[in-house]
Amino acid sequence: MLFMCILSVSVYAQQFTLQDTLRGSITPERAWWDLNYYHLDIEVKPDEKYISGSNTIRYEVLDSYNILQVDLQPPLQIEKVVQDGKKLQVKSKGNAHFIHLQKKQVKGDFNEVIVYYAGHPKEAVRAPWDGGFSWKKDNNSNHFVATSCQGLGASVWWPNKDHMYDEVDSMAISVKVPKGLMNVSNGRLRKVDSVSNTYHWFVANPINNYGVNVNIGDYVHFGEQFDGEKGVLDMDYYVLRDDLTKAKAQFKDAPKMMKAFEYWFGPYPFYEDSFKLVQVPYLGMEHQSSVTYGNQWQKGYLGKDLSGTGWGLKFDFIIIHEAGHEWFANNITYKDIADMWVHEGFTSYSENLFLNYYYGKTAAEDYVIGLRKNIANDKPIIGPYNVNKEGSKDMYYKGSNMLHTIRQLVDNDEKWRQILRGLNKDFYHQTVTTQQIENYICEKSGLNLAPVFDQYLRTPDIPVFEYIVENGTLKYRYTKVIDGFEMPLRIFIDDTPQWIHPSKEWKTTTIKGDLKSITIDRNFYMITK
């Protein structure tokens, strides 16, 4: 049976500006053309904290129109835009730049514009949360530079179609850096121009704009090959010269991650582009096929177990979490950042699946349940649409606990695994809405999970399960739930499992025999009274 998950509306009182709309919506100046190819060709001058260069944008014409929106944030400036050798007029509204095309745009044609730009890009204050360029130096006073830009937008450092709904099909990245330094970017290294010290990378797969990155340092390389579901996968590691020994020990978590996640989620989505871990001067980020790492060679999250159970110190959090995003963020990508939980909820959940694979279900349960202490339940996980605004930070731990709860409802671990693998297969290299993800899980599980998604994603409340035992009768109900919330619940009566079906109305169940104890299954995320 097919169950459709019905979208509820969450109300946000926040006021938004024209810039929020220009960034967060599919404007008419974006809708008429489809990204095909980028060639980002830049020079980075760390001494001056300055970049310059161009981005060639190839696109397919979907509808006849003559104004094309490209985004670039100040203090960077567009110097000129050219199509077929002719300089074009550009009119700007803040970060959005509207290019007036002279050439007739014919549906089905592939055309190019080249955007030339330069300037001192925004410097990251607290990367990756407040992104931009991180201009640092290593212990030997060599430049150590990296980019990060999720949420803030890739247009903070390069001109592009800065909306997540449209991923470029492939991309070349050319970065000129000072002699003695190396640039590492996404995809595979095609060549190095030793005269200019320019590194040429190529991404063969679709890539989201915030996933593109530049990493510059006195790097050394080591690597290995992983025998995976789609054949041999190249796994490459780039770290600062002085950290090579520590990295060779710490990065042993990388093939372990790959083995566990291919089991749970299906083949790594970017075999053609390889997998890389790249050391950076900030904590880390999920840049596609160029995952960045700065966890200081420690287990856990900078040496801390976020769950408080001890299980979080069994793995390097940044390697497991950020690489988990290769499936949920880079393979399956949200169309609107309001649905960011699709990235962070599933990837937070991947940490507990990693533990499940190597240490068993009890360890995994302990970990994800331990994360509940970090949940604020302050506002809905899903944010307002079309204004580039995410929802509550609870999307991580509340999102993972919601998925863990749904696993209990499916009540068949192999079926649940096939749903997770099916998501990555059926939405392979696609941008999606939360509604697509919810509908898919409803359909493949055969369960009406619509009220569950609405409760956990679109309200700040978690269910309260109230029960009373009187004269051999169990009375129970849910409170603080939306209308229609009747999620089944597994309880243990004298250690014997039993499913009940609470609603907002009191229900009763007769208890047979001498009652010694009633326990509510801890794997369901709710409050019990």
Side-chain angles (χ1 to χ4, degrees):
M1 180 180 291
L2 172 62
F3 292 102
M4 299 301 288
C5 297
I6 307 302
L7 177 66
S8 298
V9 177
S10 297
V11 178
Y12 282 77
Q14 182 174 345
Q15 298 298 309
F16 295 97
T17 66
L18 174 62
Q19 281 299 300
D20 294 324
T21 300
L22 289 175
R23 170 68 197 287
S25 63
I26 304 173
T27 62
E29 294 80 13
R30 284 171 168 162
W32 67 271
W33 56 287
D34 179 63
L35 276 172
N36 174 248
Y37 170 78
Y38 284 137
H39 180 196
L40 180 61
D41 186 0
I42 63 173
E43 179 178 5
V44 179
K45 297 180 177 180
D47 284 334
E48 303 169 35
K49 297 184 178 180
Y50 185 86
I51 64 174
S52 61
S54 66
N55 187 27
T56 299
I57 304 172
R58 183 188 303 153
Y59 60 91
E60 180 182 3
V61 179
L62 302 179
D63 198 7
S64 182
Y65 206 77
N66 71 333
I67 303 177
L68 182 149
Q69 179 182 340
V70 167
D71 304 285
L72 184 68
Q73 299 178 32
L76 294 173
Q77 292 187 337
I78 292 177
E79 297 180 324
K80 64 178 179 179
V81 180
V82 173
Q83 184 167 71
D84 296 339
K86 296 179 180 179
K87 187 176 179 181
L88 303 176
Q89 181 185 32
V90 181
K91 294 183 178 181
S92 300
K93 291 183 180 179
N95 301 338
H97 308 276
F98 299 93
I99 301 166
H100 290 250
L101 304 171
Q102 299 175 14
K103 178 181 179 179
K104 182 176 176 60
Q105 304 295 303
V106 179
K107 184 176 180 179
D109 282 359
F110 286 82
N111 297 323
E112 289 184 354
V113 295
I114 306 174
V115 181
Y116 295 86
Y117 76 110
H120 299 273
K122 178 184 181 298
E123 186 168 354
V125 177
R126 185 172 172 259
W129 301 279
D130 181 7
F133 260 81
S134 295
W135 306 99
K136 306 294 182 180
K137 290 193 175 182
D138 66 18
N139 291 334
N140 298 315
S141 297
N142 297 307
H143 287 292
F144 191 23
V145 179
T147 58
S148 56
C149 57
Q150 187 182 19
L152 179 62
S155 56
V156 75
W157 69 275
W158 61 288
N160 64 91
K161 189 179 193 177
D162 203 358
H163 192 289
M164 300 293 289
Y165 87 99
D166 190 8
E167 292 187 346
V168 72
D169 298 332
S170 61
M171 182 172 184
I173 306 168
S174 301
V175 183
K176 179 181 178 182
V177 297
K179 293 289 182 68
L181 298 176
M182 178 188 298
N183 171 69
V184 182
S185 290
N186 314 79
R188 292 186 183 270
L189 184 62
R190 279 187 159 178
K191 65 176 181 178
V192 180
D193 184 330
S194 57
V195 176
S196 64
N197 203 41
T198 301
Y199 288 77
H200 297 275
W201 298 83
F202 184 75
V203 184
N205 289 292
I207 185 170
N208 62 56
N209 47 46
Y210 84 84
V212 178
N213 69 347
V214 164
N215 307 289
I216 300 165
D218 180 25
Y219 287 124
V220 292
H221 166 263
F222 69 102
E224 59 189 315
Q225 291 187 320
F226 177 79
D227 186 12
E229 290 194 14
K230 288 179 67 175
V232 176
L233 172 65
D234 293 321
M235 300 184 69
D236 296 291
Y237 312 117
Y238 293 86
V239 299
L240 295 181
R241 190 173 302 277
D242 288 354
D243 291 329
L244 179 60
T245 300
K246 287 181 284 190
K248 284 185 174 181
Q250 195 74 5
F251 285 4
K252 289 179 180 178
D253 268 2
K256 289 181 65 178
M257 170 279 301
M258 195 64 68
K259 186 175 182 181
F261 288 170
E262 285 209 333
Y263 172 82
W264 282 109
F265 302 142
Y268 173 71
F270 309 106
Y271 270 70
E272 301 83 357
D273 292 323
S274 76
F275 173 84
K276 293 190 294 297
L277 277 177
V278 187
Q279 186 181 354
V280 290
Y282 61 87
L283 187 58
M285 194 68 192
E286 68 256 27
H287 303 111
Q288 183 174 310
S289 70
S290 182
V291 174
T292 50
Y293 175 87
N295 201 37
Q296 306 302 315
W297 321 111
Q298 299 181 78
K299 295 291 188 180
Y301 181 100
L302 292 173
K304 179 182 178 182
D305 174 12
L306 295 175
S307 75
T309 64
W311 290 113
L313 297 176
K314 296 293 185 181
F315 59 91
D316 187 308
F317 176 90
I318 291 300
I319 294 175
I320 304 309
H321 181 90
E322 303 304 344
H325 276 305
E326 294 280 45
W327 285 264
F328 291 97
N330 300 336
N331 185 36
I332 302 173
T333 307
Y334 57 66
K335 286 185 177 179
D336 191 303
I337 199 171
D339 291 335
M340 192 175 174
W341 83 271
V342 174
H343 293 198
E344 300 300 352
F346 277 97
T347 304
S348 178
Y349 182 60
S350 76
E351 300 156 24
N352 118 67
L353 293 180
F354 176 86
L355 286 168
N356 196 150
Y357 188 85
Y358 287 104
Y359 300 99
K361 286 185 70 173
T362 300
E365 292 169 359
D366 288 348
Y367 179 81
V368 72
I369 292 167
L371 293 175
R372 292 175 186 172
K373 62 185 175 62
N374 303 311
I375 300 173
N377 290 312
D378 55 349
K379 60 182 180 180
I381 288 176
I382 293 178
Y385 290 97
N386 301 316
V387 287
N388 192 49
K389 181 67 175 177
E390 64 195 55
S392 170
K393 295 298 182 185
D394 283 347
M395 69 180 78
Y396 293 81
Y397 309 128
K398 190 173 182 178
S400 60
N401 269 281
M402 179 191 72
L403 292 169
H404 184 64
T405 298
I406 292 173
R407 178 182 182 177
Q408 314 312 310
L409 296 171
V410 172
D411 200 24
N412 181 321
D413 285 347
E414 180 56 25
K415 184 176 184 178
W416 180 236
R417 184 172 80 98
Q418 292 306 323
I419 290 172
L420 297 174
R421 290 174 65 92
L423 283 167
N424 281 279
K425 177 177 179 290
D426 294 342
F427 294 109
Y428 183 71
H429 291 177
Q430 292 182 35
T431 58
V432 302
T433 65
T434 186
Q435 209 60 51
Q436 289 175 281
I437 299 300
E438 292 173 40
N439 288 344
Y440 186 92
I441 296 173
C442 289
E443 177 186 353
K444 298 301 182 182
S445 69
L447 301 174
N448 182 11
L449 297 169
V452 176
F453 285 118
D454 280 348
Q455 179 73 40
Y456 288 99
L457 297 178
R458 298 182 176 93
T459 82
D461 300 320
I462 58 170
V464 176
F465 176 70
E466 298 181 347
Y467 71 97
I468 303 169
V469 179
E470 290 180 335
N471 301 320
T473 299
L474 172 66
K475 295 179 60 178
Y476 53 88
R477 69 174 180 178
Y478 283 133
T479 60
K480 297 199 73 173
V481 293
I482 62 171
D483 290 342
F485 186 87
E486 299 182 359
M487 183 178 74
L489 178 62
R490 184 167 49 221
I491 65 173
F492 298 91
I493 298 177
D494 294 339
D495 298 326
T496 300
Q498 181 174 327
W499 285 92
I500 58 175
H501 297 80
S503 68
K504 294 175 79 171
E505 306 298 325
W506 284 105
K507 292 185 176 182
T508 61
T509 295
T510 301
I511 301 172
K512 298 178 181 179
D514 295 328
L515 176 66
K516 295 185 178 66
S517 66
I518 291 180
T519 307
I520 313 305
D521 192 333
R522 65 176 188 151
N523 292 296
F524 291 77
Y525 179 44
M526 61 182 57
I527 295 171
T528 300
K529 291 185 177 180

